[in-house]
Amino acid sequence: MEGISIIIPNYNKEKYIEKCVNSVLEQGYMPKEIIIVDDCSTDNTRTILRRYANEGKIILLENDTNNGAAQSRNNCLAVATKEYVAVQDADDYCTKERFERQVAVLEKNPSFDLYQPGYRNSMRQGKR
């Protein structure tokens, strides 16, 4: 159970999803699992995510009906197996130390239920 489950709800983020997934894959912290729900994307996102899943890099859940981000997160939580859980949006990317730092803070402060450091949003940085 040791490690971190990174959950990513997704809907129509083909412009951002590869940067998002690659930033999580580049994390130094191990063990980790990446769980992504594709919530009925109508663009090329699902094809991109299936490639990552076929390579064994992510766990891909595919919704048959559009349920929204909250339900997608809950679907990810239902299959998460690691001690810690981190949430990332599909149009965000993270620094290489994000999860290592998060886990270190949580381990030093066992009374914390939640710790959310800063993140970078691709859409907000003029990369639409």
Side-chain angles (χ1 to χ4, degrees):
M1 180 144 156
E2 180 184 315
I4 189 165
S5 298
I6 299 117
I7 63 174
I8 304 171
N10 171 76
Y11 176 74
N12 284 349
K13 298 294 185 200
E14 73 176 315
K15 292 181 182 178
Y16 311 103
I17 195 64
E18 288 183 277
K19 186 170 186 174
C20 171
V21 173
N22 288 336
S23 76
V24 175
L25 289 171
E26 292 172 357
Q27 295 294 304
Y29 186 80
M30 294 295 276
K32 65 179 172 284
E33 66 183 356
I34 305 165
I35 307 168
I36 303 176
V37 169
D38 183 71
D39 199 23
C40 295
S41 291
T42 57
D43 63 4
N44 197 38
T45 306
R46 190 169 281 196
T47 301
I48 295 166
L49 292 174
R50 283 180 178 162
R51 186 185 76 233
Y52 282 105
N54 289 338
E55 293 171 358
K57 295 179 178 179
I58 66 167
I59 298 167
L60 176 60
L61 308 176
E62 297 181 18
N63 287 348
D64 293 328
T65 58
N66 187 281
N67 297 317
Q71 184 59 49
S72 292
R73 285 184 192 101
N74 289 338
N75 292 348
C76 289
L77 286 171
V79 299
T81 63
K82 303 299 182 185
E83 182 176 3
Y84 300 106
V85 174
V87 178
Q88 180 155 321
D89 289 336
D91 58 357
D92 293 343
Y93 62 98
C94 53
T95 63
K96 290 183 180 180
E97 316 80 30
R98 175 186 173 191
F99 301 115
E100 182 177 4
R101 288 180 180 179
Q102 278 184 290
V103 169
V105 168
L106 291 167
E107 288 178 346
K108 288 180 185 176
N109 301 281
S111 64
F112 282 13
D113 290 328
L114 174 70
Y115 173 68
Q116 180 61 45
Y119 64 92
R120 295 184 172 109
N121 181 290
S122 296
M123 293 177 68
R124 290 188 203 130
Q125 294 188 3
K127 298 181 182 179
R128 290 184 183 217

